[in-house]
Amino acid sequence: MANVFSYPLIFLFKHANIQIYLHKCSILVFIFKKIPMFPIKSHIFFPITFILLILSIHSLSIAFSLPLTQYGLLPRSSDGLIGIVTAPLLHGSWEHVLSNITSLGITLYLLFSVFNTVSHVVLTIGYIVPGIITWFIGRTAIHIGASGLVYCLLFFLFCIGLYSKKRQLLALSGVVLVLNSGFIWGILPQNNSISWEYHISGSICGCILAYVFRNFSFSTNSESGIPSSVSSTANGINFIYTKKPDSQ
């Protein structure tokens, strides 16, 4: 059993991209340090819960030799429909797990911190819709991993700044680009072992969601002078989400 939990450490110290993973993990550590004892806020609760769920499922699959990958997404197959729900939780290796949870933790934290009023909608659609698209367009192979959701969140956070042209969101887009500078290449069919169909499906979904919510803007409470029940707190700054008036 001890060997099961040592696999991630072995991978970290042997993998060529150790510095990239350590950099992303240091960001996660910084995020986790902000966890309040009570209550647990959504921008902390959801990233941690999702990551722990993925880690637990993969650890159990290795510890008990469970063939969980059979519940992945199989395109254009009735048996593969279950994968639309289960595939994001399943991974083929610790390398696959670690490459997803680092980006997933950061993007979920940003989503629930800055876009709290629409975060549950974006998360739900980003979890389900990429799998539906992949079921139609994917190769006849089992597709697994949370990368469809990751790409949806990455492109949502990146594109919403470009669509809205707001300085704060443009800055957020810049942060996403710097932390995940190579994510754009993942939508290209470079490796048969990588589900680029899942990646491009998530990317399309994220771009559409960013366009749908492009008219949401925010201002500080001090500027408005009126407290709001739809406010969200990110790093000590209170944002109030309002919708732009339709152009005449």
Side-chain angles (χ1 to χ4, degrees), residues 85-133:
V85 176
T86 58
L89 302 175
L90 306 176
H91 294 77
S93 65
W94 279 114
E95 178 181 359
H96 194 194
V97 170
L98 293 172
S99 65
N100 278 336
I101 64 173
T102 49
S103 295
L104 194 60
I106 295 170
T107 52
L108 283 176
Y109 177 78
L110 291 174
L111 176 68
F112 280 89
S113 296
V114 183
F115 304 97
N116 190 44
T117 55
V118 299
S119 56
H120 293 85
V121 176
V122 173
L123 176 60
T124 302
I125 294 176
Y127 187 95
I128 298 296
V129 173
I132 295 175
I133 298 175

Side-chain angles (χ1 to χ4, degrees), residues 2-16:
N3 290 334
V4 173
F5 298 100
S6 66
Y7 290 153
L9 294 177
I10 295 174
F11 164 76
L12 281 175
F13 286 101
K14 288 186 176 181
H15 199 270

Side-chain angles (χ1 to χ4, degrees), residues 18-244:
I18 177 66
Q19 293 181 344
I20 296 177
Y21 287 108
L22 288 179
H23 174 67
K24 291 184 177 181
C25 288
S26 66
I27 296 175
L28 288 179
V29 170
F30 173 77
I31 292 172
F32 293 160
K33 286 182 179 179
K34 294 181 175 292
I35 301 175
M37 294 301 293
F38 184 85
I40 299 178
K41 297 182 179 180
S42 61
H43 65 282
I44 294 294
F45 175 77
F46 280 98
I48 293 179
T49 301
F50 210 108
I51 288 173
L52 289 179
L53 182 60
I54 291 175
L55 289 173
S56 299
I57 291 175
H58 191 69
S59 297
L60 289 173
S61 69
I62 293 178
F64 299 101
S65 301
L66 302 176
L68 297 183
T69 54
Q70 64 179 315
Y71 299 106
L73 175 64
L74 184 60
R76 296 172 300 281
S77 167
S78 58
D79 293 335
L81 284 172
I82 191 175
I84 294 176
V85 176
T86 58
L89 302 175
L90 306 176
H91 294 77
S93 65
W94 279 114
E95 178 181 359
H96 194 194
V97 170
L98 293 172
S99 65
N100 278 336
I101 64 173
T102 49
S103 295
L104 194 60
I106 295 170
T107 52
L108 283 176
Y109 177 78
L110 291 174
L111 176 68
F112 280 89
S113 296
V114 183
F115 304 97
N116 190 44
T117 55
V118 299
S119 56
H120 293 85
V121 176
V122 173
L123 176 60
T124 302
I125 294 176
Y127 187 95
I128 298 296
V129 173
I132 295 175
I133 298 175
T134 302
W135 189 86
F136 283 102
I137 70 171
R139 291 162 291 167
T140 306
I142 296 178
H143 299 254
I144 56 174
S147 55
L149 174 59
V150 169
Y151 268 77
C152 177
L153 297 179
L154 284 173
F155 272 82
F156 173 79
L157 295 171
F158 177 72
C159 291
I160 197 166
L162 303 180
Y163 291 151
S164 67
K165 296 181 174 62
K166 294 292 183 179
R167 287 182 300 172
Q168 297 94 331
L169 296 183
L170 282 170
L172 180 62
S173 298
V175 170
V176 172
L177 182 61
V178 170
L179 292 178
N180 302 273
S181 56
F183 73 94
I184 295 178
W185 301 110
I187 64 176
L188 301 177
Q190 304 177 72
N191 191 329
N192 288 332
S193 64
I194 296 176
S195 179
W196 61 269
E197 299 97 328
Y198 225 154
H199 295 177
I200 197 170
S201 298
S203 304
I204 293 171
C205 184
C207 290
I208 293 175
L209 286 170
Y211 183 80
V212 169
F213 294 115
R214 72 191 185 283
N215 288 329
F216 276 75
S217 60
F218 50 83
S219 58
T220 62
N221 283 342
S222 59
E223 291 175 351
S224 65
I226 303 175
S228 172
S229 60
V230 292
S231 63
S232 173
T233 301
N235 296 330
I237 302 175
N238 294 323
F239 296 105
I240 299 176
Y241 290 84
T242 59
K243 191 171 183 181
K244 294 179 182 177

